[in-house]
Amino acid sequence: MPILELKNIETYYGAIQALRGISLEVEQGEIVTLIGSNGAGKSTTLKSISGLAKVKKGSIIYKEKDITNKPPHETTLLGLSHVPEGRRIFSQLTVKENLIMGAYSVKGKDVIQERMEMVFNYFPKLKERLNQKGGTMSGGEQQMLAIGRALMMNPEVLMLDEPSMGLAPIIVEQIFEIILQLNSMGITVLLIEQNAYQALSIAHRGYVIQNGEIVLSGKGTDLIENEQIKEAYLA
């Protein structure tokens, strides 16, 4: 059984339909990527899973339980952490305070400290910036903080929305190395990424979304070689 499954999801913003019967599966331990042009419905798919966008039809199954339209704080407690596009850190809070906010429901200072040290193992720069306000850090450091904050809930599934957006190539490489490292530690990853080639290169499988619909799916390596994908996203 997949750890996460979307069945014929339809999501609207007012009268505008953003998702038109999206169905996809994510197996435990996979990296699955969603690629598509701007406005195709990628971010709305993640928002529908995490409860930030209301699903009108269809169902979202996580670990064999229906979580359709559960509020975000409940989906997080269940083990789904969402790192939204644009990072959305608390710019006026320090790195330490941002990480503590990420562990808002975790009981016990020892557990919080243990998870913070785990985050520092992935992102040593965050330890160096512990008392610096998030808004004063570079874009790459803010992205590390956004992922680190999500990791404070010890998620089983990490959903990443455009983690490389606006970052220098060398920082992008670091972020993708971290994604692979997290996956090797057992975290399932659902990834949206503007760099389709890089995303498909690390993904076990991928889905292509156009106009709110899945139009193609397959192994990441197979999609890279697909002529249609090459022309649309890899040129």
Side-chain angles (χ1 to χ4, degrees):
M1 290 291 293
I3 190 171
L4 179 65
E5 185 177 7
L6 276 61
K7 298 180 178 180
N8 301 311
I9 294 299
E10 295 185 11
T11 300
Y12 289 74
Y13 294 116
I16 300 172
Q17 186 170 7
L19 300 182
R20 304 172 182 275
I22 292 286
S23 295
L24 61 83
E25 295 182 353
V26 181
E27 298 288 342
Q28 189 159 15
E30 280 190 313
I31 298 175
V32 173
T33 189
L34 310 179
I35 65 172
S37 59
N38 290 337
K42 304 185 303 297
S43 293
T44 302
T45 300
L46 295 196
K47 289 178 181 178
S48 298
I49 296 167
S50 65
L52 289 169
K54 189 171 178 62
V55 174
K56 189 170 183 179
K57 291 182 180 179
S59 58
I60 298 169
I61 309 299
Y62 174 65
K63 296 172 71 173
E64 301 185 38
K65 294 182 180 180
D66 192 328
I67 63 165
T68 312
N69 290 326
K70 279 193 177 293
H73 70 277
E74 290 189 22
T75 59
T76 301
L77 289 172
L78 289 171
L80 288 153
S81 283
H82 183 185
V83 182
E85 181 182 354
R87 303 168 191 121
R88 306 288 180 88
I89 63 164
F90 299 106
S91 60
Q92 295 302 311
L93 299 185
T94 65
V95 167
K96 182 177 181 179
E97 290 166 339
N98 267 275
L99 293 176
I100 290 172
M101 288 293 288
Y104 69 93
S105 66
V106 177
K107 295 180 180 179
K109 290 183 179 180
D110 291 345
V111 178
I112 291 174
Q113 186 59 41
E114 182 180 307
R115 292 190 184 176
M116 207 174 288
E117 291 299 329
M118 177 265 294
V119 169
F120 296 151
N121 285 336
Y122 292 118
F123 304 111
K125 279 200 170 183
L126 294 183
K127 192 168 188 176
E128 298 172 14
R129 305 281 195 272
L130 192 61
N131 296 309
Q132 185 173 337
K133 286 188 176 181
T136 67
M137 299 196 302
S138 70
E141 290 166 345
Q142 288 185 22
Q143 185 63 67
M144 293 174 188
L145 179 56
I147 296 173
R149 184 179 61 186
L151 293 176
M152 291 295 289
M153 287 301 291
N154 196 29
E156 291 186 65
V157 177
L158 184 63
M159 300 187 293
L160 299 169
D161 194 343
E162 302 282 15
S164 78
M165 182 177 286
L167 303 183
I170 190 170
I171 303 299
V172 173
E173 290 292 338
Q174 292 176 16
I175 294 295
F176 272 82
E177 286 173 8
I178 291 295
I179 293 171
L180 283 170
Q181 191 176 352
L182 291 170
N183 182 246
S184 73
M185 298 298 290
I187 296 177
T188 302
V189 178
L190 182 55
L191 171 68
I192 291 174
E193 177 51 50
Q194 61 180 344
N195 188 328
Y197 180 82
Q198 202 144 16
L200 291 171
S201 294
I202 69 166
H204 297 93
R205 293 185 301 109
Y207 291 88
V208 181
I209 300 181
Q210 290 180 5
N211 299 317
E213 298 179 279
I214 300 290
V215 296
L216 195 62
S217 65
K219 293 181 179 178
T221 50
D222 291 343
L223 291 177
I224 286 176
E225 297 302 321
N226 183 288
E227 292 301 324
Q228 185 181 350
I229 299 300
K230 284 182 179 180
E231 184 177 345
Y233 305 110
L234 305 180

